[in-house]
Amino acid sequence: MTGSSLFDHLARQLTGLCEVAQTRSDEPLHLLGDLLGPTGARPLSAPPAWPSNVADDHTPVEFSIACNAGEPPTLRILGEALGSPPDAMSNQTAAYRFLSARPSRSGISLSRLTAVEGLFATDRPLGDYTLWHSLVFRSGRQPEFKVYLNPEVRGIQRAPDLVAEALRRLGLGGAYRSIFDHAVRPGELGRRDRLTFFAVDLHDGPHARVKVYLTHHDASTTDVARAAGAVDGIDAEDVASFCTAAGGGRRHFGGLPLVGSYTFTSETKKPVGYSVYVPIRGYVNDDQEARERVAPLLARYGFDSALLDRAIAAVTDRPLRDGVGLIAHVSLRLGPPRPGVTVYLSAEAYQVSPPRGGRLDATPGRMNAAADRAAV
């Protein structure tokens, strides 16, 4: 649309997604505007203000819809706050400014972030980001906040010690070894197996979570099934089967990497949940093919695939065969508090990636967003 700004584009999509998630749109739109800051007013005719890794086309926002048993779907915004002008340090400042501007009545608590932020805040940040925000909207409830911190912000080789110390500060000192022994292939920590996200819920409720994410480059479904085995009660074969179905029958993912995450709560020293994220856009020719894989996965876990079609219609009216990457990835969440399936949708504010025309393996590298990221 001529003269449309980044906020205009995203706000239209968000309004439609709020209808899908059966939640009011006023608070999500307000928070979206605050998160974008001055960047939201930039016209879409201008290039992205910053090469944000939240999305392949550098849109600093991604949407997701989480299907949960027995309740309406959950809407989430994943976003990167950008400084003015944006750079690694100003973005870091903008991220913390967004949090400090939240009123006390929002239910946000920074106590756990405060306990670890010194580990992740630096005047020379490395990697693709420093802090990303997750804004979570459940029908009939006030918004929830979560942050994603970069374990590699001080360098890849320092990530293991940083994560171990962060867990210790949050009272989960014994947790690191419980996942390390399962999730990391021998000799591959910092190489094919990377610690890419450390996430913290910003509330003090009994189910407040800490999540640790590992990106598994050049991995097989056997690798992620083994990783899932760190969690009691998780069906590792279900994890492998989900990946194979999302990947169109493949058991090895040599392009965009699989990602797994472990969920911890204050009630236990071991992970209580596991999620696996499949970058489906790297293993389909177009979004129609992605839709045809995701819909049966939703049905397999007891969810209505019509929800997927309504969510897609909320963010685009283009034919699905005309591009690839709108459906960026799909995840399976196992264990408490909310097992289910999440679908991640790119805003495509700046670019629609053309369909592949038969080339199914994407170039290896970091995922656009949520695959290095998190499920709701």
Side-chain angles (χ1 to χ4, degrees):
M1 182 181 296
T2 303
S4 181
S5 69
L6 176 61
F7 177 80
D8 293 335
H9 177 90
L10 296 172
R12 286 192 294 271
Q13 295 173 318
L14 179 56
T15 300
L17 289 170
C18 284
E19 293 181 8
V20 174
Q22 303 173 40
T23 187
R24 292 170 55 94
S25 63
D26 48 352
E27 184 69 5
L29 288 170
H30 173 73
L31 287 169
L32 174 65
D34 280 359
L35 181 64
L36 291 173
T39 304
R42 286 174 59 89
L44 288 182
S45 57
W50 172 255
S52 176
N53 223 22
V54 167
D56 288 340
D57 71 338
H58 304 314
T59 303
V61 164
E62 180 189 65
F63 302 110
S64 60
I65 292 286
C67 299
N68 314 301
E71 61 182 60
T74 298
L75 168 63
R76 189 193 65 164
I77 301 172
L78 180 76
E80 181 173 20
L82 303 182
S84 183
D87 60 33
M89 281 303 300
S90 69
N91 292 353
Q92 180 175 266
T93 300
Y96 283 97
R97 184 185 304 121
F98 173 79
L99 293 176
S100 65
R102 308 276 63 83
S104 58
R105 66 179 182 277
S106 67
I108 192 171
S109 170
L110 301 181
S111 59
R112 298 196 310 159
L113 175 59
T114 300
V116 301
E117 65 180 334
L119 297 170
F120 297 91
T122 171
D123 57 1
R124 294 184 178 180
L126 303 175
D128 299 317
Y129 74 104
T130 54
L131 187 153
W132 285 347
H133 296 281
S134 175
L135 314 178
V136 182
F137 306 97
R138 307 188 197 278
S139 181
R141 297 176 56 175
Q142 66 179 2
E144 300 170 18
F145 298 82
K146 180 167 65 175
V147 293
Y148 298 96
L149 300 159
N150 185 1
E152 297 182 350
V153 71
R154 297 178 183 272
I156 294 173
Q157 298 308 314
R158 296 186 64 180
D161 289 341
L162 190 153
V163 169
E165 175 60 17
L167 288 170
R168 187 194 66 79
R169 292 188 183 186
L170 294 173
L172 297 167
Y176 184 76
R177 180 54 57 182
S178 70
I179 62 175
F180 179 86
D181 290 341
H182 282 81
V184 179
R185 290 166 285 186
E188 295 297 343
L189 185 59
R191 295 165 56 86
R192 292 191 300 170
D193 294 328
R194 300 268 293 275
L195 288 158
T196 43
F197 282 87
F198 187 91
V200 180
D201 284 346
L202 300 184
H203 66 84
D204 291 328
H207 299 297
R209 303 163 301 168
V210 173
K211 299 185 73 174
V212 178
Y213 294 76
L214 289 105
T215 299
H216 302 294
H217 295 268
D218 196 27
S220 68
T221 55
T222 301
D223 295 321
V224 292
R226 179 175 178 270
V231 184
D232 294 339
I234 296 298
D235 184 347
E237 289 305 314
D238 192 21
V239 172
S241 176
F242 179 88
C243 294
T244 296
R250 72 186 63 235
R251 297 180 181 278
H252 180 264
F253 292 77
L256 294 180
L258 297 172
V259 174
S261 73
Y262 294 96
T263 300
F264 299 90
T265 68
S266 59
E267 300 168 346
T268 178
K269 305 303 182 186
K270 295 183 63 177
V272 298
Y274 179 81
S275 299
V276 64
Y277 310 86
V278 180
I280 191 169
R281 75 191 188 288
Y283 300 97
V284 294
N285 289 312
D286 54 49
D287 284 304
Q288 182 63 40
E289 187 176 355
R291 188 262 169 215
E292 290 169 359
R293 289 191 199 165
V294 172
L297 281 172
L298 289 171
R300 177 193 293 189
Y301 291 95
F303 303 113
D304 185 359
S305 61
L307 174 71
L308 171 64
D309 294 324
R310 294 198 300 272
I312 290 172
V315 297
T316 190
D317 58 3
R318 71 164 174 82
L320 294 182
R321 293 201 183 278
D322 286 357
V324 63
L326 175 75
I327 304 174
H329 33 275
V330 60
S331 72
L332 175 65
R333 292 172 281 112
L334 298 171
R338 290 182 175 87
V341 175
T342 301
V343 181
Y344 301 81
L345 299 171
S346 296
E348 296 185 328
Y350 294 107
Q351 179 181 339
V352 175
S353 296
R356 288 195 177 85
R359 185 177 62 85
L360 291 181
D361 278 324
T363 301
R366 283 185 68 90
M367 301 182 59
N368 79 322
D372 269 355
R373 292 186 292 256
V376 174

